[in-house]
Amino acid sequence: MAKAPWLQKLGYRMTVLSRYISPSLLATSLVLIITVFVLFVPPYIGMADNGDYFRILYSNGLYFNNPDYDSLYFGYFNKEFGIFQYFNENAEMYTSSQSLLIRISIWINQWFNSQVFDIRVQAVLLTIMYMGAVYLFVEALTWKMKRKYGYIVAVLAVFLFADTAYTAFFNSFFGESLVWIMLIYLFASGLLLFRNRYNDYAMMAIFFISGLLLTTSKQQNAPVGIIIAVVGIVLIFIRKQRSFRAMMASSLAILMVAGIATYVLIPKEFVNVNKYHAMTRGVLMQSEDPEATLKSFGINRQYAILNGTIHYEPYTTVDVNSQILEDSFYNHYGFVSILGYYLTHLDQAGKMMNLAAKSAFTIRPPAMGNYEQSVGKPFGAQTSFFSGYSELKKALAPKTFGFIVIWILVIIGLYAPHFIAAIKAKHIRSMIRLPLFLMMILMGLSGIFVSIIGAGDADLSKHEFLFTASFDLVTFAVIADAICRNLWQNKPAADEEPS
């Protein structure tokens, strides 16, 4: 039976499209168009300051030059900041790879304006980096797959990667923008090593650099370097050359050290803030007998009055920065002792896990607005433009930790047959797909556990960003493999040489 004329035309157009535009290029182009429209066309979309900007701003040569800036907190996005013209007496508050991005942005900005920094300069750099990450990720999922399936994956990728809940971070000083982009590069380079796509040394370099920037971007990401180093051991053996193995092993060792150093270098000021919330917004809040709980830590039971309070309250019953609190409260517990407490009180741990799960699928923090005050939107208003994926995820994802456990088991079950077949066939390169997925899952879980143990429920939706980002990338990769008929593959790649 002859095809209908419209089907023939569609087939011809698809043939032309596949000849000149790959699925990865199509996805990247569409994401770029939408992102540029959101970030650089009025009304500009960004993120309001929640009070955290000062930590990264002043030490990098910027300051708040808006006299009404205090009135903008949480409600309105501000795109312009002053550049220090003389000696900057502000010491670096904490070490972060985000500082490198900001300083490069300031350097470029000064070509055009040496006194006022426009945050959109940083957004341009992040957008360029983002396009590379999206391209590599979609390429890793669609390479050598039938183009008709690849284009479906490309279109779906646009809904994820162009979602304003993610791209709005680019017009902000929150470290989540760098975390999101580096996480994509890390996963994409690992998958490209698995696919044997591009040069292995180039992919190893991307894997290492993205892992290093991700680990050092935020203090709570300290476990990330350790997880990458441990799970990534299998990557050492995908090539027989000693040079490759030595370079990969060295890269993993550096990532391990970077993770440890990131934790050790956390300033004491921030340690006490997090410790305060870990106790008052975590351990005590879920305890049936807060006074007895404090006693188990060797803390005077009178401090039970702090139950449920936050460090930044303007009027408190005790000075949270006092030496008294340092000696009789903070010095009696730490990360390890709180972890031990939860392990011996699993009912409380379960409550905290479920509490964390309620915020684990929210990409955009609900407290921060996206518009400039001059736009005339209500205080704290958030954009709904191209936010279909984030809103759907927020509405439909089950908000229990049990769902997260089931999700993990399903992922392992889907990829385990291929992993086992690769082991039997001694195809090292084919073995790395499941470890890569486990690496992403463990990094995501570390975001949850570190948030709960380290700071209780304080600002959970923002602290759990690493989990929600990992969840999205892993889930999307599974869907893409299913569409491309690569999900239930139970044998190593045909072109793989046994090691």
Side-chain angles (χ1 to χ4, degrees), residues 48-65 69-70 73-74 81 84 88-96 98-99 102-103 119 172-175 267 269-270 273 311-312 321 462:
D49 183 3
N50 69 343
D52 284 347
Y53 280 13
F54 80 96
R55 298 181 180 182
I56 196 74
L57 224 63
Y58 281 93
S59 59
N60 286 297
L62 299 177
Y63 64 93
F64 304 112
N65 62 348
Y69 193 85
D70 288 350
Y73 282 122
F74 293 101
F81 300 83
F84 280 112
N88 181 9
E89 63 182 7
N90 298 282
E92 190 168 20
M93 299 191 71
Y94 66 97
T95 304
S96 170
Q98 186 187 359
S99 294
I102 294 175
R103 295 192 181 192
I119 202 171
S172 80
F173 287 112
F174 294 121
E269 175 190 351
F270 298 145
V273 172
H311 188 275
Y312 299 109
N321 296 312
K462 190 168 177 292

Side-chain angles (χ1 to χ4, degrees), residues 9-21 147 151:
K9 289 182 179 179
L10 179 61
Y12 173 76
R13 290 173 180 172
M14 288 295 293
T15 301
V16 173
L17 179 66
S18 64
R19 184 181 303 172
Y20 297 104
I21 303 178
R147 286 295 175 95
Y151 288 124

Side-chain angles (χ1 to χ4, degrees), residues 166-187:
Y166 277 124
T167 57
F169 278 107
F170 296 178
N171 266 336
S172 80
F173 287 112
F174 294 121
E176 279 73 11
S177 56
L178 197 61
V179 169
W180 173 232
I181 294 173
M182 291 305 114
L183 193 65
I184 300 171
Y185 271 116
L186 182 72
F187 196 24

Side-chain angles (χ1 to χ4, degrees), residues 1 30 56 65 111 131 139 151 212 238 280 286 296 323 329 372 374 381 391 426 429 438 443 476 483:
M1 181 181 293
L30 293 176
I56 196 74
N65 62 348
W111 295 353
M131 294 309 110
E139 181 72 7
Y151 288 124
L212 186 63
I238 63 175
T280 65
Q286 297 296 336
S296 69
Q323 189 61 42
F329 191 70
E372 291 182 279
S374 59
E391 292 300 323
K426 297 182 180 179
R429 189 182 296 270
L438 290 176
M443 288 192 297
F476 185 84
I483 293 173

